[in-house]
């Protein structure tokens, strides 16, 4: 019944790739507004970050030499899509997931990367960036897979990742798995733990 009522019932899906690389894909980001072509970023659970600049015809790896290429999230700054944040450590926890090494930032559309800390979190499922100020960044951290640790919860930076403050912490066993910024009030965030 739901399928018959859907506005998308006649929409056909097209596979864009990458083919047979990176295994599970954990996130997708699309540059908006669309330029000459769609630029799309895809995060791999165990294979880094890939980019297409021609609507999926070809793909190139742009994040493959960091301390961890297990990716939980890739996020573009709404004000400037050349600012990309990557949260390492797949947060879909099961026996074959790998720990991350914190967050990384690129200010040149993935040409170069800088480690911005939070290595002890091990898994980062979501990053939210303020729509008018890309120096304000929030990171949801799930924490270690099988052990308790205090590097869990939600972190905030107001200086582009130079320093972090833990703004939500429940306990050593409870991580933040998702984080959403209110679409009209960026000072309101919703976190799932």
């Amino acid at each position: 019944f739901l399928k018959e009522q859907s506005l998308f019932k006649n929409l056909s899906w097209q596979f864009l790739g990458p083919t047979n690389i990176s295994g599970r894909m954990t996130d997708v980001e699309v540059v908006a507004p669309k330029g000459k072509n769609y630029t799309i970023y895809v995060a791999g659970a165990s294979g880094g970050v890939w980019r297409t600049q021609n609507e999926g015809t070809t793909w190139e790896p742009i994040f493959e030499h960091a301390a961890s290429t297990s990716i939980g999230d890739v996020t573009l700054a709404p004000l400037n899509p050349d600012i990309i944040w990557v949260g390492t450590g797949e947060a879909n926890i099961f026996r074959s997931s790998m720990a991350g090494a914190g967050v990384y930032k690129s200010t040149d559309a993935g040409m170069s990367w800088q480690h911005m800390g939070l290595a002890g979190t091990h898994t980062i499922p979501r990053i939210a960036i303020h729509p008018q100020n890309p120096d304000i960044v929030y990171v949801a951290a799930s924490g270690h897979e099988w052990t308790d640790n205090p590097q869990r919860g939600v972190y905030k930076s107001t200086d582009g990742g130079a320093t972090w403050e833990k703004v939500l912490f429940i306990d050593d066993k409870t991580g933040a798995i998702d984080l959403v910024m209110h679409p009209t009030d960026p000072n309101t965030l919703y976190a799932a733990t």
Side-chain angles (χ1 to χ4, degrees), residues 103-180:
V103 289
Y104 290 79
K105 175 182 173 183
S106 174
T107 58
D108 55 11
M111 299 301 291
S112 63
W113 295 93
Q114 181 179 2
H115 185 258
M116 302 308 293
L118 302 180
T121 60
H122 281 210
T123 51
I124 297 177
R126 192 72 63 226
I127 300 169
I129 304 171
H130 193 284
Q132 286 89 36
N133 184 351
D135 285 338
I136 300 175
V137 180
Y138 297 89
V139 171
S142 302
H144 296 190
E145 282 189 59
W146 308 112
T147 59
D148 301 347
N149 74 303
Q151 291 86 14
R152 300 174 182 268
V154 177
Y155 291 84
K156 178 182 181 181
S157 177
T158 58
D159 54 14
T163 60
W164 295 95
E165 174 189 3
K166 193 184 304 183
V167 294
L168 175 66
F169 177 73
I170 297 172
D171 60 41
D172 288 1
K173 296 180 181 183
T174 308
I177 192 68
D178 204 357
L179 183 66
V180 177

Side-chain angles (χ1 to χ4, degrees), residues 8-9 16 23 26 32 39 43 56 65 84 93 98 131 147 155 169 183-184:
F8 307 105
K9 65 184 174 190
L16 296 178
T26 54
T39 298
H65 299 294
I84 307 169
I93 305 299
M98 296 177 283
T147 59
Y155 291 84
F169 177 73
T184 59

Side-chain angles (χ1 to χ4, degrees), residues 41 44 49-50 56 63 74 84 97 101 110 115 117 174 177 184 192:
Y41 298 90
V49 177
W50 294 76
F63 189 88
V74 58
I84 307 169
S97 52
H115 185 258
T174 308
I177 192 68
T184 59

Side-chain angles (χ1 to χ4, degrees), residues 12-57:
S12 60
W13 290 90
Q14 177 183 354
F15 180 73
L16 296 178
T19 58
N20 204 18
I21 298 176
S22 305
R24 301 171 312 280
M25 306 319 276
T26 54
D27 196 19
V28 176
E29 283 287 318
V30 179
V31 173
K34 178 185 175 185
K36 183 178 177 184
N37 288 305
Y38 281 116
T39 298
I40 304 169
Y41 298 90
V42 178
S46 60
V49 177
W50 294 76
R51 175 179 61 199
T52 179
Q53 295 179 299
N54 54 18
E55 302 178 351
T57 303

